[in-house]
Amino acid sequence: MSESKLAGQFFDAAIGLLERVRDEESGNIAAAGAAIADTVEAGGRLFAFGAGHSSLAAQDVVYRAGGFALMNLMAVPGALGVDVRPATLGSALERVDGLAGAVLDSSPAKPGDVLVIISLSGRNALPVEMAMNARALGLKVIGVTSVAYADGTRSRHSSGGFLRDHCDIVLDSKIAIGDAELNVDGIEAPFAPASTVVTSAVMQAMMAAAAERLVERGVEPPLLRSGNVDGGHEWNGRVMAQYADRIFYRH
């Protein structure tokens, strides 16, 4: 079977975006890693949040082999993905005022903790209010978003602001408005989104930078091993016992 031209074009587009983020966001990624390292070293906790498909990148750094045991998911019921029925409800919940505040107020997050908020557009009420309320509570907020949306669309939050306006550190995914990399004659809609690939890479790069900073300071990064390798379960058991008061996905 011959190779797919469009498949190759998508890989080229995704690789191009990854290279742009690597080259243009390196300083911000290093700063985000340092902020996470500071929090880990100071005894704080880590949280990640994303709504809809942005939740995939948040979940990718929670309870996984090679990840920080201290990273917890800031879950908003019904807004995490397409598991809710109807799936369109998740999108609707992103535009509900007050939901983020209710979630944060009932969460274990405390001043000094880090919250990473992922939102491709950064324009909906949920991520904007999550960032605003988190900072008001004394959390450090890292936003992972596409700045293009803030420059080319209108906010859906009453303040008129975007996620990027309420973060301590912003990581720009460089994704174009519409999140579709391919346009082809004969296909009416653009297709092949790359935001999940790029955003997940940004998240993992940020965590790698955090591990690097911790090692430089003589601190062992609180990493999990794969449960599918010999000794993995025993290793993870020790790490989880050591940091039990900072891990919230086990209870």
Side-chain angles (χ1 to χ4, degrees), residues 28 76-77 89 141 169 190 211 227 237:
N28 292 328
V76 176
L89 176 60
V141 176
I169 301 169

Side-chain angles (χ1 to χ4, degrees), residues 116-132:
V116 185
I117 301 176
I118 306 162
S119 174
L120 177 62
S121 72
R123 68 191 296 229
N124 290 311
L126 185 54
V128 174
E129 288 188 359
M130 186 73 77
M132 294 174 68

Side-chain angles (χ1 to χ4, degrees), residues 244 247-251:
I247 295 173
F248 305 103
Y249 50 77
R250 299 186 71 198
H251 307 289

Side-chain angles (χ1 to χ4, degrees), residues 189-250:
F191 60 104
S195 60
T196 302
V197 174
V198 176
T199 304
S200 290
V202 169
M203 294 290 287
Q204 295 297 345
M206 176 185 70
M207 300 311 296
E212 181 180 15
R213 295 294 174 267
L214 288 170
V215 170
E216 290 173 352
R217 302 171 190 179
V219 178
E220 178 70 22
L223 294 169
L224 296 172
R225 290 179 180 264
S226 172
N228 296 313
V229 300
D230 293 341
H233 286 298
E234 292 77 13
W235 171 282
N236 292 341
R238 289 192 297 270
V239 171
M240 288 187 177
Q242 180 179 353
Y243 295 100
D245 61 331
R246 300 154 74 180
I247 295 173
F248 305 103
Y249 50 77
R250 299 186 71 198

Side-chain angles (χ1 to χ4, degrees), residues 24-218:
E24 298 174 17
E25 294 299 304
S26 58
N28 292 328
I29 289 171
I36 289 171
D38 291 343
T39 300
V40 170
E41 189 174 14
R45 291 81 60 81
L46 309 174
F47 298 89
F49 164 76
H53 284 91
S54 290
S55 73
L56 297 174
Q59 294 178 59
D60 192 44
V61 294
V62 177
Y63 183 53
R64 66 159 301 145
F68 277 41
L70 305 186
M71 183 62 80
N72 301 276
L73 187 67
M74 184 71 73
V76 176
L80 283 181
V82 296
D83 59 328
V84 64
R85 297 290 186 274
T88 50
L89 176 60
S91 298
L93 289 174
E94 288 190 64
R95 298 190 288 272
V96 174
D97 293 336
L99 183 56
V103 169
L104 277 170
D105 288 345
S106 60
S107 79
K110 295 181 179 180
D113 292 346
V114 164
L115 173 59
V116 185
I117 301 176
I118 306 162
S119 174
L120 177 62
S121 72
R123 68 191 296 229
N124 290 311
L126 185 54
V128 174
E129 288 188 359
M130 186 73 77
M132 294 174 68
N133 288 19
R135 292 180 87 186
L137 291 172
L139 278 69
K140 176 157 282 191
V141 176
I142 299 169
V144 183
T145 187
S146 169
V147 171
Y149 279 85
D151 294 334
T153 68
R154 296 179 62 183
S155 171
R156 289 175 173 154
H157 186 250
S158 57
S159 69
F162 287 76
L163 171 60
R164 72 166 186 182
D165 301 319
H166 302 286
C167 298
D168 297 286
I169 301 169
V170 175
L171 308 181
D172 182 6
S173 64
K174 314 296 181 181
I175 301 295
I177 296 173
D179 190 19
E181 295 303 316
L182 300 183
N183 290 275
V184 177
D185 290 341
I187 300 178
E188 292 299 319
F191 60 104
S195 60
T196 302
V197 174
V198 176
T199 304
S200 290
V202 169
M203 294 290 287
Q204 295 297 345
M206 176 185 70
M207 300 311 296
E212 181 180 15
R213 295 294 174 267
L214 288 170
V215 170
E216 290 173 352
R217 302 171 190 179

